[in-house]
Amino acid sequence: MVWSWLSKLAPLQLGAYRNLGQRGMLGMNERNNRYIAEYNPRYLYPLVDNKLSTKKLALEYGINVPALIGTIENQHDAVNLLDIVKNQTGFCIKPAKGSGGKGIVVIVKQQHGQFYKANGQVFGADDLERHISNILAGLFSLAGKSDLVVIEDLVTVDPCLQAFTYEGVPDLRVILFRGFPVMCMMRLSCRASGGKANLHQGAVGVGIDMASGRAIGAIQDGAPISVHPDTLQPLNTLLVPRWAEMLELACGCYDMTGLGYLGVDLVLDKNHGPLLLELNARPGLSIQMANNAGLVPRLRQVAKLTKTDRYSPAERADYSRQQFGDPRPWLLQ
Amino acid sequence: MRSRASFYVLVTLLVLIGAGFTVYRHISLGVPWLPGEQRLVWSIEAKIDFHSQDAAVRASFATPSTQPGFKRLSERTASPGFGLAFVEEPNGRRAEWSIRQASGLQVLYYQVDMLVDPSTFKHTQATPPPLRLVTLSGPQAPAANELLSRAQARSADAYTLARELITEFNRQEQLAQLLSHSQKRIVWLVDLLNQAEVPAREVHMLNLEDGRRRQPLVSYLQVFSGENYQLFNVDTGEQGQTANQLVWEQLSAPLLDLAGGDHARVNFSMLKQDVPVTRMLQDKTFQDRGLLDFSIHSLPLEDQTLFKGILLIPVGVLIVVILRLFIGIRTSGTFMPVLIAIAFIQTSLLTGLVGFLLIVGLGLVIRSYLSRHNLLLVARVSAVIVSVIIIIAIFSLLAYHLGLTEGLKITFFPMIILSWTIERTSILWEEDGPREVFTQVGGSLAVAVLAYLVMNNALVKHLTFNFLGLQFIFMALILVCGTYKGYRLTELYRFRPLSPAQH
């Protein structure tokens, strides 16, 4: 039944499959089978799947991260939250083993025992405690395993990016292959994504030219867009500030984890500069749509390199800036 | 890369083992590829009646055994008040009835199912009986010797001698008449053949004709040439056994040996039946083939039905693998659809779908109430489990009282799995919105329905249950699927070329 349906579509599909291949798009199966399975040894996963160990590791390697305010490990400690955050105006609650931005709550302001989210939504202390207890029980963790809560300092958006975001903090996603940046994208939160920067939740993905840090295209929900849906800022004016520094910081994360296929999320803080937000051993594939380019040719080029351990992070960043620059003008003009 | 070769060796090995077992089962046990296939079975009933004189009765009755052309399946007897035993004796396997005291007319029934197995008709071999030399004397001796010498002159071997001897009996009517005064023709034939050092004996045959009643056994002459034998009709000299002739007794033993009774009569009636092979495989005679057999049928019946379901799971799993890796359908919980599909098999599709949506829908309502309270996750899921059970109980009761027996089948759903589905769906709704919920729940249901349609297919059920070797092939298929690096069907849409004109 299914087969007859499939065979009817076959001629059409073979062309479509070939087309994807010609554009060098990396599919989910190939990512899992060829890149993640071969370049990411399983025993390294805990380093990136647990935000707390990532943070500790980053500090060891001198990579800047948002300051840790506190952690909560047991249900009965959930009441300590008020104690932990009493000197903070804003803070961020994250499940240490969460994925895809699940379970993250950003509080921008607390006043008279009320907690305000960026969208003005008000939480009571008991709401936050319930959320913390959910995190601890493993609701957001990858395999439902029991989890712990990381409370960290709020990132303040750098003024030059302020116009490109609604409520949340824009972050820079860099895909590193064997330590070389192969593709970048800026993720902008918007009203539709509820202040979150995850593309599947409706955030805007902006493809970034590796050579210059300039925007080359943007998508939201799989469709191309040219202005930020909420701030109406033209997206082709986006230029990632301190581009070289950001890219070099990303490259350093390879040496820190040893994962060959790695997604690095960076933010630019107004006060602290580039910070490492989190690492991802299974970074998504939508970045190809934001850049309107496939990952495969770049991955193949890097796979051919020999003696990669002789490159320093800065040299790897340089290599990618020279090799993977995208001379195309803004895609929608 | 280093393991690539060994991987394909493993896959090939799995396919070979699987195909080997499967073909072996088909060829050696005759398990058919298709479920509807039927075999011919003769149901034969022997009715024994006799009068007993108020005494202890012992009746020993010859029973047929597996033979060229026929395989004995099950036996049944009906004999109220009598003790019964099947005994192996030098003169064959016999049914023995006994009773301390009986008077008046006694009726014993013996029923046997014989499977027609045409492929074995040609192999006619048996151990020949020892030669029994009788010295011919008296007035018939010259006549008998004359018949024998004439036949011998015109014959070349054992079979032609037997045929010619019968021809002589028919031709020399007066001599035959003379001989038949002292003993029956068949006894003469056996004696004369023995005289010529040809082993032979009398066997009792039953001519099988559908729906016949009150049939007697017919005597046939069995003539040996070494281990091989041929059967001869003593009246016509016709050689060979037709497909519809069953040897009931072949050791020249009495059909019925009765002590304590008289006026015994034995009648046979028979019925031809088409029996599905699948039902026949349940029969004991198809088991006990040793370890190589690997048949589920050797398990107790109760476990067999359990395995019927279990052996279907790999089919469902294979479908999930295909749909996820090649199509790219997203489901909530990787193998949850397979469990739902198994529930659908028990409930039938429509009842199952309605039940699933009812339980998940109501569960979500209850869950959304629970989420307002500050509950720990484990407690909350546990509460959902209890709610699901209460929902199921209430629906079963309602359905029963409304006379909808279909509704009772709702109990087949995997409750713990459903509770987790409700919990995850609820979180998904809060975090990613209803659209993602419909995508994933819809995807799960679509996969479940597809898995159900395949798993509920009579052919698939038949093959997985009867050919355990297929499991190795499923394993190999899944392993091969795991190496697929190409695009998923949904990625054709996801990565479709962006054209600025769209905006």
Side-chain angles (χ1 to χ4, degrees):
Chain A
M1 187 184 72
V2 172
W3 295 119
S4 69
W5 175 69
L6 274 182
S7 60
K8 238 183 264 171
L9 289 173
L12 177 152
Q13 266 164 39
L14 285 178
Y17 277 104
R18 212 176 301 126
N19 181 280
L20 279 196
Q22 278 161 0
R23 287 163 60 213
M25 295 310 246
L26 180 66
M28 189 72 88
N29 292 327
E30 192 177 6
R31 183 201 74 174
N32 293 343
N33 255 344
R34 201 190 298 279
Y35 294 103
I36 293 185
E38 263 185 49
Y39 291 93
N40 289 358
R42 195 83 218 178
Y43 68 93
L44 292 176
Y45 277 40
L47 295 180
V48 294
D49 284 346
N50 186 331
K51 290 194 182 71
L52 197 59
S53 19
T54 310
K55 215 179 249 299
K56 284 178 185 161
L57 199 65
L59 291 175
E60 248 175 65
Y61 279 77
I63 290 171
N64 291 333
V65 289
L68 181 68
I69 296 171
T71 57
I72 296 174
E73 288 171 35
N74 298 303
Q75 292 286 358
H76 64 258
D77 294 334
V79 289
N80 296 351
L81 174 74
L82 292 182
D83 251 5
I84 294 172
V85 301
K86 67 172 177 241
N87 294 324
Q88 299 287 328
T89 36
F91 57 91
C92 186
I93 298 176
K94 293 179 174 180
K97 297 172 191 166
S99 69
K102 280 191 181 150
I104 296 179
V105 170
V106 179
I107 301 296
V108 291
K109 185 175 75 167
Q110 58 166 321
Q111 211 170 29
H112 313 303
Q114 301 279 61
F115 296 88
Y116 294 86
K117 276 175 64 169
N119 61 2
Q121 198 184 342
V122 185
F123 272 32
D126 53 338
D127 290 324
L128 283 188
E129 273 166 30
R130 175 167 70 95
H131 186 70
I132 283 171
S133 121
N134 276 344
I135 293 176
L136 291 173
L139 192 54
F140 307 104
S141 73
L142 280 171
K145 285 182 290 190
S146 65
D147 204 348
L148 47 93
V149 179
V150 176
I151 300 162
E152 56 181 33
D153 200 3
L154 200 62
V155 175
T156 326
V157 183
D158 190 275
C160 46
L161 292 174
Q162 189 64 60
F164 295 98
T165 181
Y166 176 81
E167 285 176 3
V169 183
D171 72 357
L172 178 72
R173 157 65 61 92
V174 183
I175 306 272
L176 292 181
F177 182 51
R178 302 175 76 200
F180 293 85
V182 285
M183 207 171 265
C184 303
M185 137 174 102
M186 201 86 198
R187 300 188 299 183
L188 314 176
S189 54
C190 55
R191 194 197 297 269
S193 74
K196 291 195 170 136
N198 291 90
L199 291 202
H200 73 272
Q201 285 167 328
V204 177
V206 184
I208 300 291
D209 168 31
M210 189 71 76
S212 61
R214 149 189 84 84
I216 48 176
I219 52 156
Q220 186 185 25
D221 287 326
I225 57 167
S226 53
V227 292
H228 190 283
D230 305 309
T231 67
L232 301 181
Q233 179 77 14
L235 292 169
N236 59 354
T237 59
L238 176 69
L239 181 70
V240 181
R242 300 161 82 171
W243 174 238
E245 203 185 329
M246 294 277 270
L247 211 53
E248 202 176 311
L249 177 74
C251 289
C253 296
Y254 167 70
D255 304 270
M256 174 177 125
T257 59
L259 287 164
Y261 190 81
L262 184 66
V264 179
D265 294 343
L266 305 174
V267 284
L268 190 61
D269 187 271
K270 188 168 120 188
N271 309 314
H272 304 100
L275 301 177
L276 167 64
L277 206 55
E278 64 174 293
L279 297 173
N280 199 324
R282 313 163 192 81
L285 300 168
S286 304
I287 193 169
Q288 303 178 102
M289 298 309 294
N291 281 279
N292 197 12
L295 273 166
V296 175
R298 301 184 187 185
L299 293 172
R300 286 200 181 136
Q301 186 179 333
V302 174
K304 281 194 203 121
L305 292 178
T306 51
K307 298 184 179 142
T308 50
D309 48 338
R310 291 197 187 162
Y311 289 78
S312 70
E315 283 164 347
R316 290 197 301 264
D318 281 344
Y319 176 89
S320 292
R321 279 215 306 275
Q322 282 158 24
Q323 297 290 319
F324 302 137
D326 196 332
R328 289 177 296 181
W330 177 256
L331 298 173
L332 299 173
Q333 280 173 348
Chain B
M1 292 302 148
R2 74 199 121 76
S3 58
R4 184 59 53 87
S6 68
F7 175 79
Y8 284 110
V9 168
L10 171 71
V11 168
T12 318
L13 219 64
L14 282 172
V15 171
L16 286 180
I17 292 173
F21 275 135
T22 308
V23 172
Y24 170 81
R25 289 240 336 136
H26 177 69
I27 291 174
S28 88
L29 282 168
V31 182
W33 298 123
L34 296 175
E37 240 173 80
Q38 300 199 322
R39 290 290 164 83
L40 206 59
V41 169
W42 284 98
S43 239
I44 304 157
E45 187 183 76
K47 182 182 171 201
I48 305 156
D49 51 54
F50 57 90
H51 281 275
S52 74
Q53 312 101 327
D54 212 6
V57 175
R58 201 182 132 275
S60 166
F61 184 67
T63 64
S65 46
T66 296
Q67 54 187 283
F70 297 96
K71 181 198 267 287
R72 188 181 64 209
L73 301 178
S74 53
E75 297 169 296
R76 288 169 297 278
T77 59
S79 42
F82 282 82
L84 172 75
F86 287 100
V87 287
E88 292 286 349
E89 283 182 8
N91 56 356
R93 184 170 171 284
R94 301 180 75 87
E96 276 199 2
W97 287 275
S98 51
I99 194 164
R100 177 66 63 191
Q101 199 179 22
S103 55
L105 178 69
Q106 304 295 323
V107 185
L108 304 174
Y109 290 96
Y110 168 81
Q111 200 184 346
V112 65
D113 286 338
M114 300 299 282
L115 167 71
V116 177
D117 197 354
S119 61
T120 57
F121 264 118
K122 294 171 196 102
H123 312 290
T124 48
Q125 283 198 326
T127 322
L131 284 175
R132 191 168 45 88
L133 287 172
V134 260
T135 351
L136 300 174
S137 57
Q140 286 105 341
N145 280 329
E146 180 171 355
L147 283 181
L148 181 59
S149 58
R150 280 175 185 232
Q152 267 175 324
R154 283 208 308 273
S155 64
D157 57 10
Y159 297 151
T160 46
L161 174 64
R163 197 183 59 219
E164 287 308 317
L165 209 50
I166 295 169
T167 317
E168 279 307 310
F169 265 88
N170 287 340
R171 193 177 292 163
Q172 311 288 332
E173 271 177 39
Q174 285 176 338
L175 286 181
Q177 192 82 37
L178 176 68
L179 291 176
S180 65
H181 284 310
S182 64
Q183 51 187 13
K184 282 196 297 183
R185 177 188 281 201
I186 185 143
V187 184
W188 276 113
L189 285 171
V190 172
D191 283 352
L192 290 175
L193 282 171
N194 277 331
Q195 203 76 17
E197 297 189 350
V198 171
R201 67 184 167 201
E202 179 188 358
V203 295
H204 296 102
M205 310 276 290
L206 185 63
N207 290 317
L208 298 173
E209 276 178 87
D210 191 21
R212 283 305 184 91
R213 299 161 58 87
R214 298 179 172 276
Q215 294 294 299
L217 290 184
V218 189
S219 285
Y220 266 72
L221 183 66
Q222 188 180 31
V223 181
F224 285 84
S225 169
E227 295 272 288
N228 297 314
Y229 68 79
Q230 283 292 330
L231 291 166
F232 290 88
N233 183 320
V234 282
D235 293 321
T236 62
E238 209 176 310
Q239 181 181 340
Q241 182 182 9
T242 66
N244 283 346
Q245 285 180 317
L246 171 77
V247 179
W248 191 274
E249 193 283 319
Q250 62 170 359
L251 295 170
S252 301
L255 176 65
L256 178 68
D257 194 359
L258 182 65
D262 54 18
H263 292 94
R265 277 187 312 175
V266 182
N267 282 311
F268 294 88
S269 47
M270 58 215 84
L271 202 62
K272 191 161 78 174
Q273 288 175 301
D274 285 320
V275 177
V277 177
T278 39
R279 209 182 79 204
M280 236 165 46
L281 289 171
Q282 302 284 351
D283 198 277
K284 270 207 291 292
T285 43
F286 276 89
Q287 297 153 21
D288 308 327
R289 290 286 190 104
L291 275 177
L292 252 186
D293 184 6
F294 272 115
S295 166
I296 294 298
H297 294 289
S298 52
L299 290 175
L301 207 62
E302 198 178 331
D303 300 299
Q304 284 187 33
T305 46
L306 181 70
F307 259 100
K308 227 171 208 166
I310 290 178
L311 290 173
L312 280 172
I313 293 178
V315 179
V317 169
L318 186 62
I319 287 169
V320 167
V321 167
I322 289 169
L323 288 183
R324 283 180 75 105
L325 295 187
F326 294 93
I327 313 285
I329 292 180
R330 271 183 296 164
T331 59
S332 68
T334 312
F335 293 112
M336 183 273 262
V338 181
L339 295 170
I340 300 296
I342 292 171
F344 284 170
I345 290 177
Q346 314 266 6
T347 58
S348 84
L349 189 57
L350 192 66
T351 323
L353 274 175
V354 171
F356 178 84
L357 292 175
L358 266 176
I359 296 173
V360 172
L362 272 174
L364 278 175
V365 172
I366 293 173
R367 166 64 179 73
S368 74
Y369 170 76
L370 288 175
S371 77
R372 280 199 239 149
H373 298 272
N374 209 350
L375 289 183
L376 297 180
L377 176 73
V378 178
R380 191 172 57 224
V381 177
S382 307
V384 173
I385 293 175
V386 177
S387 323
V388 165
I389 289 171
I390 293 172
I391 294 170
I392 287 176
I394 289 175
F395 271 113
S396 300
L397 281 174
L398 266 180
Y400 181 73
H401 286 296
L402 292 173
L404 303 165
T405 43
E406 279 288 294
L408 287 173
K409 290 180 180 164
I410 208 168
T411 47
F412 285 113
F413 276 106
M415 295 161 209
I416 311 266
I417 300 291
L418 278 186
S419 306
W420 273 107
T421 306
I422 290 167
E423 176 68 22
R424 285 215 201 88
T425 310
S426 163
I427 297 289
L428 203 64
W429 194 302
E430 281 175 23
E431 299 231 325
D432 294 337
R435 208 181 101 196
E436 189 62 21
V437 169
F438 287 121
T439 317
Q440 292 204 6
V441 173
S444 304
L445 269 185
V447 175
V449 169
L450 188 65
Y452 159 82
L453 289 176
V454 176
M455 287 159 82
N456 204 34
N457 181 288
L459 178 65
V460 172
K461 275 182 170 173
H462 167 80
L463 289 177
T464 51
F465 187 58
N466 286 298
F467 298 100
L468 264 189
L470 287 180
Q471 303 295 330
F472 291 96
I473 293 177
F474 292 145
M475 177 89 169
L477 278 178
I478 288 169
L479 288 179
V480 170
C481 286
T483 64
Y484 175 67
K485 292 194 180 77
Y487 298 109
R488 299 174 179 179
L489 196 58
T490 50
E491 283 173 347
L492 296 185
Y493 173 76
R494 187 183 169 194
F495 296 145
R496 71 196 179 284
L498 299 179
S499 69
Q502 275 179 320
H503 205 64

